[in-house]
Amino acid sequence: MQLVVARIGRAHGIKGEVTVEVRTDEPELRLAPGAVLATDPAATGPLTIETGRVHSGRLLLRFAGVTDRTGAEALRNTLLIAEVDPEEMPEDEDEYYDHQLMDLDVVTVDGVEVGRITEISHLPSQDLFIVERPDGTEVMIPFVAEIVAEIDLEEQRAVITPPPGLIDDRAEIASSREPGEDA
């Protein structure tokens, strides 16, 4: 199975290094020197990682055969794809690969059906489940411990404890005004 593990950003310097937007929780495993990665677009690859280092909080990679800034800039926005055994599990027991979470049924702790995970959106601050509801609408559920109580791969479901207003329109409005008081 193929997983997107990074997206190539800008060229860095003049010797072929590129910045990388990491999209894996295991960069030391997936983006190590010697790793051969498929690419999207496919014509760009495969690419073999020659060196990697962190500079000012960003991962920089150099690929075999890319020796100058022009070559590095030509790789910009290319997705790096690793081949992963579908049975492989992440090292941390509370981590999951996207393919493991796709199509899980989402239910509340009370057993109320919410829908099915159709997409996982990776944002800088947190990941989101995009859940298709039975009526065809979508709801976004933050993949955080306070909301996602349990992931049960055997039962193919995610159990959530949604705060008021997340999956319904019964949000609790907190106000400092007294009832009947005008603004």
Side-chain angles (χ1 to χ4, degrees), residues 131-139:
V131 177
E132 184 177 319
R133 301 180 73 157
D135 65 5
T137 60
E138 288 184 338
V139 63

Side-chain angles (χ1 to χ4, degrees), residues 1-6 30 37 80-84 97-99:
M1 168 175 305
Q2 295 188 324
L3 296 177
V4 173
V5 293
R30 308 279 180 222
L37 302 168
L80 298 175
I81 302 166
E83 190 64 40
V84 176
Y97 294 127
D98 287 3
H99 72 273

Side-chain angles (χ1 to χ4, degrees), residues 1-8 20-27 30-31 37-41 77-84 97-99 122:
M1 168 175 305
Q2 295 188 324
L3 296 177
V4 173
V5 293
R7 183 182 67 79
I8 298 175
V20 176
E21 175 188 311
V22 176
R23 295 189 180 175
T24 177
D25 289 334
E26 302 169 316
R30 308 279 180 222
L31 301 171
L37 302 168
T39 60
D40 182 7
N77 292 320
T78 298
L79 296 178
L80 298 175
I81 302 166
E83 190 64 40
V84 176
Y97 294 127
D98 287 3
H99 72 273
H122 299 282

Side-chain angles (χ1 to χ4, degrees), residues 81-125:
I81 302 166
E83 190 64 40
V84 176
D85 179 348
E87 301 301 314
E88 183 180 327
M89 296 291 287
E91 289 179 8
D92 187 336
E93 67 181 45
D94 291 331
E95 292 179 357
Y96 302 91
Y97 294 127
D98 287 3
H99 72 273
Q100 295 171 306
L101 301 171
M102 292 297 292
D103 294 324
L104 291 184
D105 293 324
V106 179
V107 297
T108 65
V109 289
D110 314 356
V112 176
E113 179 187 357
V114 176
R116 183 178 53 84
I117 299 173
T118 57
E119 184 181 339
I120 293 139
S121 180
H122 299 282
L123 303 175
S125 58

Side-chain angles (χ1 to χ4, degrees), residues 128-170:
L128 290 175
F129 291 157
I130 310 301
V131 177
E132 184 177 319
R133 301 180 73 157
D135 65 5
T137 60
E138 288 184 338
V139 63
M140 292 184 270
I141 302 194
F143 187 19
V144 294
E146 295 80 17
I147 296 173
V148 179
E150 177 187 4
I151 298 290
D152 187 339
L153 295 178
E154 219 169 272
E155 294 291 322
Q156 287 291 289
R157 67 185 186 144
V159 180
I160 63 169
T161 56
L166 181 66
I167 60 172
D168 57 33
D169 57 3
R170 295 186 302 272

Side-chain angles (χ1 to χ4, degrees), residues 51-87:
T51 64
R53 65 186 179 105
V54 176
H55 175 72
S56 297
R58 302 266 324 182
L59 179 61
L60 302 178
L61 296 178
R62 181 173 314 144
F63 299 99
V66 180
T67 58
D68 60 15
R69 186 174 185 87
T70 303
E73 197 59 46
L75 297 174
R76 191 172 191 165
N77 292 320
T78 298
L79 296 178
L80 298 175
I81 302 166
E83 190 64 40
V84 176
D85 179 348
E87 301 301 314

